[in-house]
Amino acid sequence: MIHQSLKERQRQEREELILQATQDLLLERGYYDTSMGEIAQRVGVAKGTLYQHFESKEALMIVLFKREFHDLQVAIEQIAHMQVGAQEKMTLMIDTLCYHIAEKHPLFFILRNASDLQAEIHYEIKETFNGMREQIALMLDEGKAEGIFNACLPTEVMLEALFGIIVSRLFKNFHEGLQVQYGDLVGHLRCIYFHGISAPTTTDESKLCP
């Protein structure tokens, strides 16, 4: 067993404090109005110490976004492996996704507004995001096999509909200066999404295969 040195533990603990302080400042002030000096001050370290951990604000942002998406991926993977039906898995997944977005939604919009960061961050989180999509796709395919989701709808279309509803709702709130409310987001998403992908009955011609 490899024992972590005290120095390494202290370094990791300090980096966690830096990441948390960065996140708090970003949610309060936005990307362009947050400086490395302010981050160092919030953590209580010298600016030079901050640069020993992260070479730039951009590098710090990349680590922060990778951590956020990794945490979300882990939560979705745990749900995907639960021994419950697909409907319950998808309900839990939507709850988790909506809670995470409602809590951190200004952070996600940094990707939209910080054009100099978009390409690099998208590249860094691409693998994690694709992993999330794969887990959700498996849940949807399980639902099709169980007969509760519409087998005539391609899984990719179901995925795009899910993220499309979330993104459109978030952008509307963001541009109107409104806080995303978890209860509204999850309630509306469940209603629209599950109604749209549920398996058709023999009397429901609108949902029959084309």
Side-chain angles (χ1 to χ4, degrees):
M1 180 177 179
I2 300 175
H3 293 281
Q4 193 177 40
S5 69
L6 176 61
K7 185 176 181 179
E8 183 60 28
R9 286 201 304 272
Q10 290 175 335
R11 180 179 179 82
Q12 289 185 1
E13 288 171 1
R14 183 176 290 162
E15 287 186 356
E16 284 299 315
L17 290 174
I18 291 170
L19 289 169
Q20 185 59 54
T22 302
Q23 177 178 286
D24 293 344
L25 281 166
L26 289 169
L27 294 177
E28 292 170 16
R29 300 171 58 82
Y31 173 64
Y32 290 111
D33 291 329
T34 297
S35 69
M36 291 290 273
E38 288 173 313
I39 295 169
Q41 185 177 20
R42 179 70 64 96
V43 178
V45 299
K47 192 173 179 180
T49 301
L50 181 60
Y51 279 106
Q52 290 175 8
H53 291 271
F54 300 97
E55 64 182 17
S56 65
K57 186 170 73 169
E58 292 75 14
L60 211 169
M61 287 293 300
I62 289 168
V63 173
L64 179 61
F65 271 97
K66 287 177 71 174
R67 186 182 71 165
E68 290 299 319
F69 276 87
H70 175 265
D71 290 348
L72 186 55
Q73 180 190 28
V74 169
I76 290 175
E77 285 180 349
Q78 290 174 343
I79 293 169
H81 290 93
M82 287 181 175
Q83 299 301 310
V84 296
Q87 178 86 30
E88 186 172 349
K89 286 182 182 180
M90 285 296 296
T91 299
L92 289 169
M93 186 280 299
I94 287 174
D95 285 358
T96 299
L97 198 58
C98 289
Y99 178 80
H100 193 88
I101 289 171
E103 183 181 28
K104 306 282 181 65
H105 85 280
L107 201 60
F108 293 113
F109 282 98
I110 292 171
L111 287 176
R112 180 177 176 85
N113 294 323
S115 56
D116 52 330
L117 277 176
Q118 282 184 2
E120 192 166 1
I121 290 180
H122 283 161
Y123 174 79
E124 292 289 343
I125 66 173
K126 181 179 180 180
E127 185 176 345
T128 300
F129 184 71
N130 287 341
M132 289 167 45
R133 286 175 61 94
E134 288 172 7
Q135 293 296 331
I136 298 171
L138 288 174
M139 297 182 215
L140 292 169
D141 287 338
E142 286 178 20
K144 289 181 180 181
E146 292 171 14
I148 59 173
F149 298 153
N150 192 341
C152 295
L153 288 174
T155 302
E156 183 64 23
V157 172
M158 291 181 170
L159 279 170
E160 293 303 323
L162 174 66
F163 288 107
I165 295 170
I166 292 174
V167 170
S168 63
R169 181 65 176 167
L170 288 177
F171 278 132
K172 181 178 186 298
N173 280 47
F174 184 76
H175 288 301
E176 293 179 358
L178 302 175
Q179 176 67 36
V180 175
Q181 299 297 323
Y182 161 75
D184 290 341
L185 183 61
V186 73
H188 297 160
L189 184 56
R190 280 189 196 172
C191 178
I192 296 170
Y193 189 67
F194 283 134
H195 179 74
I197 68 169
S198 61
T201 64
T202 54
T203 57
D204 190 0
E205 295 184 358
S206 65
K207 286 187 177 180
L208 295 178
C209 299

